[in-house]
Amino acid sequence: PVFVDTIQVSAIAERAEKALGDRVLLLPTLWLGSSHHHLDFPGTVSVLPSLYSQMIKSVANCILDAGFKRLLFLNGHGGNKVPAAQALSELVCESEKADDAYLLLCTWWELNPETYREGMEAEGVAHACEYETSLILALRPELAAVDQIREGPMALNNDWVKTEGPGSRVSVFRRFRRLTASGSMGKPTLATAQKGKRLLEAVTNDVIRLVEELAEWPELGAIGPDSTRSKH
Amino acid sequence: PVFVDTIQVSAIAERAEKALGDRVLLLPTLWLGSSHHHLDFPGTVSVLPSLYSQMIKSVANCILDAGFKRLLFLNGHGGNKVPAAQALSELVCESEKADDAYLLLCTWWELNPETYREGMEAEGVAHACEYETSLILALRPELAAVDQIREGPMALNNDWVKTEGPGSRVSVFRRFRRLTASGSMGKPTLATAQKGKRLLEAVTNDVIRLVEELAEWPELGAIGPDSTRSKH
Amino acid sequence: PVFVDTIQVSAIAERAEKALGDRVLLLPTLWLGSSHHHLDFPGTVSVLPSLYSQMIKSVANCILDAGFKRLLFLNGHGGNKVPAAQALSELVCESEKADDAYLLLCTWWELNPETYREGMEAEGVAHACEYETSLILALRPELAAVDQIREGPMALNNDWVKTEGPGSRVSVFRRFRRLTASGSMGKPTLATAQKGKRLLEAVTNDVIRLVEELAEWPELGAIGPDSTRSKH
Amino acid sequence: PVFVDTIQVSAIAERAEKALGDRVLLLPTLWLGSSHHHLDFPGTVSVLPSLYSQMIKSVANCILDAGFKRLLFLNGHGGNKVPAAQALSELVCESEKADDAYLLLCTWWELNPETYREGMEAEGVAHACEYETSLILALRPELAAVDQIREGPMALNNDWVKTEGPGSRVSVFRRFRRLTASGSMGKPTLATAQKGKRLLEAVTNDVIRLVEELAEWPELGAIGPDSTRSKH
Amino acid sequence: PVFVDTIQVSAIAERAEKALGDRVLLLPTLWLGSSHHHLDFPGTVSVLPSLYSQMIKSVANCILDAGFKRLLFLNGHGGNKVPAAQALSELVCESEKADDAYLLLCTWWELNPETYREGMEAEGVAHACEYETSLILALRPELAAVDQIREGPMALNNDWVKTEGPGSRVSVFRRFRRLTASGSMGKPTLATAQKGKRLLEAVTNDVIRLVEELAEWPELGAIGPDSTRSKH
Amino acid sequence: PVFVDTIQVSAIAERAEKALGDRVLLLPTLWLGSSHHHLDFPGTVSVLPSLYSQMIKSVANCILDAGFKRLLFLNGHGGNKVPAAQALSELVCESEKADDAYLLLCTWWELNPETYREGMEAEGVAHACEYETSLILALRPELAAVDQIREGPMALNNDWVKTEGPGSRVSVFRRFRRLTASGSMGKPTLATAQKGKRLLEAVTNDVIRLVEELAEWPELGAIGPDSTRSKH
């Protein structure tokens, strides 16, 4: 189904917020992300990476202006990783206020990959795969057309580029219609609701722990050269 | 010294080109990169990430227009990783010609980290560290003011964020003046020219092998939904 | 409360979708809008008008690429009116596909203002006013801190500029901190859940009728000068 | 004729300036506006809405920098309404100086529509219509090719969208070649120089009164939350 | 006075148009130009160079779309020279239609400098100088406050940089408040209406001749490498 | 050969640096320039003028931030002249720091054209011409395929536009494939290494003298109107 990444990351974030209570303030998930590489598959609504970067910069700026100094961007979509990092790395160079704050970016499946792999066949999270389909079976089973799942080999998968999990040593840039005929990757047929529940709980626990620890990290003042020079 | 990343990646690329002969065409290194996070340290000349992305898109477009279909962007600077990826992921969404070609991006120290670590103390490449200083001692020893090397603890380094090597599970965005007083990271005092020579050879061999294999990778046609719809 | 405009327009849209069934496809509400004029009031997360215009253009383009030709943008936030109109008026000039489709933009309180006024004291919808507070009392009463409502005169309200309802003959551009001390406008103390329910039903019926009629509007071919000239 | 909107608004502005004497400083009309929706009709020279917004922001900034605090943008072209509003609403969010000033935007036919309708058949101003043609007959009759006037029904005109006058409840975005075969709207055959003179006088009087009153409007300080926080 | 450059170039252009009759179509002068280097002097209304370039590109595109293939941009303001050239050089690289047309840019005082110097003391046109003041005395003497003319040495004028006329071998970039205390350059006290009339006539004749000859220049097809490759 | 302009200007700059010693700090040549007008000829890697302007602004800003106040941009490519001037003229309007510094831009063949012409047949530097080919024969003879030099008449060359040297009175904007079939201009067959050596020495001496004199030019404070008003 479309909207999978929003459903997953929202479930994780809302569970973590519930556990953390007043120690955290959760913004609603921003469903409009950068998915132009999926646009050949009908139903995609997306912005280009450079536009997504601008959106994230603006969101971060508003929260910083409101006085917050420890922000965690919890991401659940592969296509948002680079443009979100682009946004935040640019922001700290442009704004003292941003550089003076903690701007954290994480993608849920990278928080603790070894743990998440327990009980799974596939080596890691791909797209519409064993992991993601398990989560949807746990969260919104009515959306999963299990009988229509099609698997197929990836068009590219070699020693340098791993398109079905972690471990790539070089990056290849292709729209998904060149890599997969069905739009799925990995092994969605192996998905079960049970696996999804276990995964959801593990990730949520990591997010909770990360937020709790982030609250204790030291303030980072400028220890390098004085930078009273105006930047541009 | 400044210009280290250019010296290193140029040495690797030129050695690989010599070995590959007519099988590859090498462009000169583009020394102007995205280093605004170092700008507090004098001597930095840089462009912001979003501007670097535009430069890379333009370079890629020119090469694609000239008819090339297998491009390898060999990167040697941490600050260029995200904006180069931003550029290429956006480009394939905007241009059929780009999506129809191989646009590879790699950062030399990520090609084979386990191998590069042999004989090194530090776990991986940081900045002005054991690895980088060794390479400079091998390539341009007159530039390394070895007696002025200062080491010091990183201001942030924990279970989630590794600022002295690989293994981070979340990304933190800070200018370098918040992380290091001297501008160096890792253990530059452990550097030797011998380590540098070994590293240079290992990386060069990986680049050579990657280029040779890239020449054999299959063409990737569109196997997903027909995309005769104009994109934007 | 923050998030009011999202709550209201989502309630209207979801009720209309339920009534319309398969005749319409509803996208989730895009909560990130253009509210920089409220940014002095804590809790605002916003993008500038020019960025919002780009977001809307991108969303529209994706839907048009998927083959849809009758799009209704149902808006529930005053700050989005101009940038959404900017986006769509620019889009039809840049894209034949967009000009060939119906791109409708409406703001719910402008669909039938005379009807919505029935039973209300205030002449029209302002901000955090009788109308909006009534809707929240009907939809999410737990969010309305009724005992903390403060009213006060608007700093500007004259024969040319109506800041508490419709009828302005000139536009004045000011952040809200110059117009209202409390952030509210109009007469929120007059709000009741009953008024909100009536309003919700009236607006929903108008949206339903508009969508039904839009489905019947004639296709509009080019009847003016031939425009085979490429546009820019 | 082309250039109609410039001729009309200049006539109004110059007459008002003459009456107001030293109380107002008039800039020459900026004839380059946003008319890309007319570009299919030969003779149009235009900028896209987003570019027009930038032009207006820059003009406003220069005047604000020179120390003026009460600016009236008198508009005479439908296509400029949204991008001028976009410009000014963005400007006050980016600049304290702009937010501290009066930035007024009005379109002449919206200043007092009931009065302007007196003696006219059509309900309001459209494009190349009874109103506009009457003004040209009064101001530059040699430009009006009266014998070549063609009228015709609008391609879209219904209960929601009024393309020949005021009263639309939803906005539709189409280039003019989809709406009118001749380029005219409304009832230009009903135009007379006499109607034009009456209209010109009525609008001019309204502009004079608006400028006189604007000079008396109260300064608007910040009465909402303190906003010493830097904005972006 | 302000508006001098517009007055001068309009006088030249209108006289040339009158002489050329149907052989040329003249657009009204675009008074909004790039004068930010004068902005410290009150009364300046301007756009930055990059914005001016966008305006010129848009104007050129509209005229090209209307089918014209021989365009002359007659410039009368020093600050517009570079951004207009930037616009047109970029445009021909982006658009085949533009590359297929004649896009000419000239600045009136560069058409025939030796001739224009006859009878003048100063070596060439600077700013508010003998030449410009003479033209204003010829065209709009009531605007020239002759008794208030102040001359003074330029702050920089040497073998490499000529700030009071032609002949610079390097370019220096400074706002005018660093170069001149009064805002004038050169020798405005030497201006006479007689000199202005002679200059006006000489320039007009050159413009007429240029337009007549341009009409006869050969069409320039692509004689270099085939360029069916799409450009970006 | 490609890369000619980089080779030439680097040779000049490095010779001048050697002579000037500690009195100057030389950045490496930025080989990526604005050559889209050559893109039809294979082998060109380029950015559009507007992107090049942004690169130059960023480079200048970094050097200004590091505290330098006398910068010389030594240019060796025709296509960079306008966008570099655009960059620097915009920068001084946006930044007090830039306006307070010397930002010099020169193109080597314009430093002393009369001198450089001694011993040459052609009137001035064009592209791949007598001058440029002589320099390459002096610097990198192995790159010059002398036996493949083709000359041919320029497609346009008249009293107003000189495409083979200095002296144009109007600017024409065309890609090079419309002007030259071979890509060369002027008279490359007349080139000799001897001419190249003489030219190289002459230009280098001029650069040395310019740098020496620049070091002595007076600081330029603001002598015009006070400009404490914030600019935009």
XYZ file of all heavy atoms in Angstrom, chain D residues 9 33 56 110 117 124 127 132 137-138 175 177 205 214 230:
119
model
N -4.328 52.340 -15.023
C -3.892 52.570 -13.641
C -3.000 53.804 -13.580
O -2.987 54.521 -12.570
C -3.209 51.309 -13.072
C -1.753 51.222 -13.488
C -3.348 51.252 -11.559
N 4.391 43.086 -15.879
C 3.634 42.380 -14.846
C 3.514 40.904 -15.156
O 4.205 40.377 -16.027
N 8.404 42.842 -6.735
C 7.645 43.689 -5.805
C 8.337 43.741 -4.436
O 8.389 44.797 -3.790
C 6.192 43.152 -5.664
C 5.461 43.320 -6.994
C 5.448 43.849 -4.534
C 5.317 44.758 -7.460
N -11.673 47.037 -7.121
C -12.219 46.466 -5.884
C -12.385 47.517 -4.793
O -12.805 47.190 -3.684
C -11.281 45.359 -5.377
C -11.236 44.160 -6.323
C -10.229 43.109 -5.908
O -9.428 43.387 -5.000
O -10.245 42.012 -6.503
N -20.366 50.281 -10.511
C -21.349 49.591 -11.345
C -22.457 50.514 -11.820
O -23.176 50.187 -12.780
C -21.942 48.443 -10.526
C -22.564 47.425 -11.434
C -23.197 46.289 -10.743
N -24.158 45.689 -11.652
C -24.972 44.722 -11.345
N -24.923 44.208 -10.136
N -25.833 44.245 -12.225
N -19.535 43.538 -13.119
C -18.236 43.944 -12.581
C -17.178 43.885 -13.661
O -17.444 43.527 -14.822
N -12.282 41.318 -18.222
C -11.055 41.588 -18.980
C -11.470 42.044 -20.372
O -12.186 41.316 -21.065
C -10.210 40.310 -19.056
C -9.025 40.418 -19.958
N -7.906 41.134 -19.639
C -8.800 39.925 -21.209
C -7.033 41.062 -20.631
N -7.550 40.337 -21.595
N -13.423 48.168 -18.911
C -12.091 48.488 -19.401
C -12.144 49.212 -20.749
O -11.383 50.146 -21.000
C -11.242 47.212 -19.521
C -10.971 46.569 -18.165
C -9.696 45.736 -18.171
O -9.313 45.245 -19.252
O -9.094 45.586 -17.105
N -11.800 54.150 -24.127
C -12.495 55.123 -24.982
C -12.382 56.531 -24.388
O -12.336 57.526 -25.127
C -13.959 54.728 -25.159
C -14.185 53.520 -26.070
C -15.654 53.095 -26.061
C -13.742 53.849 -27.502
N -12.324 56.605 -23.084
C -12.190 57.917 -22.436
C -10.750 58.417 -22.484
O -10.506 59.616 -22.588
C -12.672 57.831 -20.985
N -5.340 29.130 -18.432
C -4.934 30.213 -19.317
C -6.161 30.745 -20.058
O -7.135 30.021 -20.249
C -3.909 29.694 -20.328
C -2.615 29.280 -19.702
C -1.566 29.092 -20.784
N -0.726 27.952 -20.450
C -0.144 27.155 -21.339
N -0.302 27.379 -22.632
N 0.608 26.146 -20.948
N -6.794 31.308 -23.097
C -7.203 30.681 -24.362
C -8.228 29.573 -24.139
O -8.864 29.099 -25.081
C -5.995 30.108 -25.084
C -5.317 29.048 -24.270
C -4.373 28.197 -25.050
N -3.737 27.277 -24.113
C -3.170 26.151 -24.472
N -3.128 25.816 -25.733
N -2.616 25.362 -23.568
N -11.342 59.354 -7.147
C -11.777 59.902 -5.862
C -11.571 58.917 -4.719
O -11.193 59.302 -3.613
C -13.252 60.312 -5.940
C -13.405 61.586 -6.738
O -12.442 62.346 -6.910
N -14.611 61.813 -7.261
N -5.173 56.899 4.930
C -3.991 56.109 5.298
C -2.990 56.951 6.085
O -2.356 56.481 7.033
C -3.337 55.547 4.027
C -1.948 54.921 4.168
C -1.939 53.764 5.142
C -1.431 54.454 2.807
N 15.177 36.002 16.713
C 15.457 36.244 15.292
C 14.557 35.349 14.453
O 14.323 34.195 14.785
C 16.922 35.950 14.978
O 17.166 34.572 15.123
